């Protein structure tokens, strides 16, 4: 693919490579946050087993201090890691937006092919924002993988049965979530297309406002924009409903996984295979 007509993959790769230092820092700190999140329910289980069950005040103070230190560490990691990831996304978005504007303003930049200025403005803002968001998505994706791995290791060390429930259930949950996202992807694309068209019509009408007033064409222009705006609204509402449905189904599936972990863990605790604290840790890790 030539530099004049880059592929979508090359645009995404350039967006990430241009911010690789911030993406790497954000991923590292976000991974530390995920590890801390996994350690919190584990430490709560330790507090229950070693301090609460035995009514040991000294152990309670000690492990609460450890828990507070872990909280402070994960909070600090989240703060700095999220800032680094967001900054990588915003910087990449800005760089791409400037590149798009430079391309449009250059001779043969694409405006001669019939695209209205409003459509170009919408692409330069919304599409550039979505490309930049890939940096943040990579940060969150890798750190989530680290968190899942940490939870799986802790659960397997506690009980092989509990670990297998999570290791088998999580990929299934992710696969179902991917299937549920398909309608959202198609409707999001339609939403973007209608929003760009509405912006193009608005910019076109503003550009020709004096001419419209001179020939008395305001009512027709207003009706044209009203119809376009209604189409854009309907596309946005369809995308919002698809997103709400996907979020609700993912939450329901997550609840089923947690219920399965609680069921297996409860039976193991009743049999004496694991302690009460380990049961609490297992449910917390599943969350």
């Amino acid at each position: 693919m030539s530099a004049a007509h880059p592929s979508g993959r090359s645009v995404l790769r350039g967006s990430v490579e241009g911010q690789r230092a911030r993406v790497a820092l954000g991923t590292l700190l976000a991974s530390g946050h995920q590890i801390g999140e996994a350690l919190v329910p584990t430490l709560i289980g330790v507090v229950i087993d070693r301090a609460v069950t035995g009514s040991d005040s000294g152990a309670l103070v000690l492990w609460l201090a450890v828990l507070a230190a872990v909280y402070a560490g994960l909070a600090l990691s989240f703060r700095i890691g999220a800032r680094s990831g967001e900054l990588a996304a915003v910087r990449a978005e800005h760089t791409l937006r400037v590149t798009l504007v430079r391309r449009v303003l250059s001779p043969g930049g694409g405006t001669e092919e019939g695209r209205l200025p409003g459509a170009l403005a919408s692409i330069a803002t919304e599409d550039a924002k979505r490309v930049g968001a890939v940096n943040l998505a990579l940060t969150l994706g890798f750190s989530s993988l680290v968190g899942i791995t940490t939870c799986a290791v802790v659960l397997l060390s506690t009980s092989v049965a509990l670990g297998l429930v999570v290791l088998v259930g999580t990929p299934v949950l992710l696969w179902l979530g991917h299937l549920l996202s398909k309608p959202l992807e198609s409707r999001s694309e339609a939403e973007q297309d209608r929003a760009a068209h509405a912006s193009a019509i608005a910019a076109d009408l503003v550009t020709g406002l004096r001419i419209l007033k001179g020939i008395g064409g305001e009512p027709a222009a207003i009706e044209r924009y009203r119809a376009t705006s209604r189409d854009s609204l309907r596309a946005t509402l369809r995308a919002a409903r698809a997103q709400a449905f996907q979020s609700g189904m993912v939450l329901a599936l997550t609840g089923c996984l947690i219920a399965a972990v609680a069921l297996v863990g409860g039976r193991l605790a009743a049999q004496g295979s694991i302690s009460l604290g380990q049961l609490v840790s297992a449910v917390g890790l599943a969350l």
Side-chain angles (χ1 to χ4, degrees):
M1 189 69 67
S2 65
H5 298 88
S7 64
R9 181 174 297 180
S10 65
V11 172
L12 292 176
R13 186 186 302 113
S15 174
V16 176
E17 290 178 352
Q19 301 295 323
R20 56 182 175 272
R22 292 189 178 93
V23 172
L25 177 61
T27 301
L28 179 63
L29 293 175
S31 298
H33 169 258
Q34 291 289 344
I35 293 173
E37 289 280 5
L39 290 177
V40 167
T42 305
L43 289 174
I44 292 175
V46 172
V47 170
I48 293 174
D49 286 339
R50 300 191 180 184
V52 177
T53 303
S55 300
D56 190 339
S57 300
L60 179 62
V61 173
L62 173 62
W63 286 107
L64 286 179
V66 173
L67 184 61
V70 171
Y71 258 114
L74 69 89
L76 188 61
S77 296
F78 175 79
R79 179 179 180 275
I80 302 176
R83 182 181 184 276
S84 181
E86 289 283 358
L87 189 59
V90 172
R91 291 283 188 182
E93 173 193 346
H94 174 70
T95 301
L96 182 58
R97 187 164 54 244
V98 171
T99 303
L100 284 170
V101 172
R102 186 181 293 115
R103 170 66 177 170
V104 169
L105 294 179
S106 67
T111 54
E112 74 283 353
E113 296 179 1
R115 283 189 179 272
L116 294 175
L120 294 172
S122 179
I123 292 172
T125 52
E126 291 300 321
D127 285 11
K129 183 177 181 180
R130 297 187 182 193
V131 171
V134 172
N135 290 314
L136 184 59
L138 284 175
T139 298
L140 297 177
F142 279 115
S143 62
S144 297
L145 181 61
V146 171
I148 292 173
T149 303
T150 304
C151 291
V153 170
V154 174
L155 285 172
L156 285 172
S157 63
T158 301
S159 170
V160 176
L162 283 176
L164 289 177
V165 169
V166 175
L167 289 177
V168 174
T170 300
V172 173
L173 183 64
L174 293 175
W175 177 70
L176 291 174
H178 175 69
L179 290 181
L180 291 171
S181 68
K182 290 297 183 180
L184 178 59
E185 291 175 3
S186 60
R187 294 184 184 186
S188 178
E189 182 179 356
E191 174 197 3
Q192 176 69 9
D193 179 68
R194 301 314 302 170
H197 185 61
S199 298
I201 295 298
D204 189 40
L205 292 179
V206 171
T207 302
L209 186 59
R210 291 185 178 180
I211 298 176
L212 289 172
K213 285 184 174 292
I215 63 176
E218 299 102 313
I222 291 173
E223 184 58 33
R224 180 189 178 194
Y225 179 73
R226 183 178 288 118
T228 304
S229 181
R230 280 196 296 263
D231 289 341
S232 178
L233 175 61
R234 283 192 289 268
T236 302
L237 291 176
R238 284 194 295 269
R241 283 193 291 267
Q243 183 175 9
F245 174 76
Q246 187 221 16
S247 299
M249 291 301 298
V250 169
L251 286 175
L253 293 171
T254 303
C256 292
L257 177 61
I258 295 170
V261 172
L263 177 62
V264 174
R267 289 187 175 182
L268 291 173
Q271 295 170 0
S273 300
I274 61 174
S275 64
L276 177 61
Q278 289 174 327
L279 173 61
V280 173
S281 297
V283 175
L285 288 169
L287 285 170

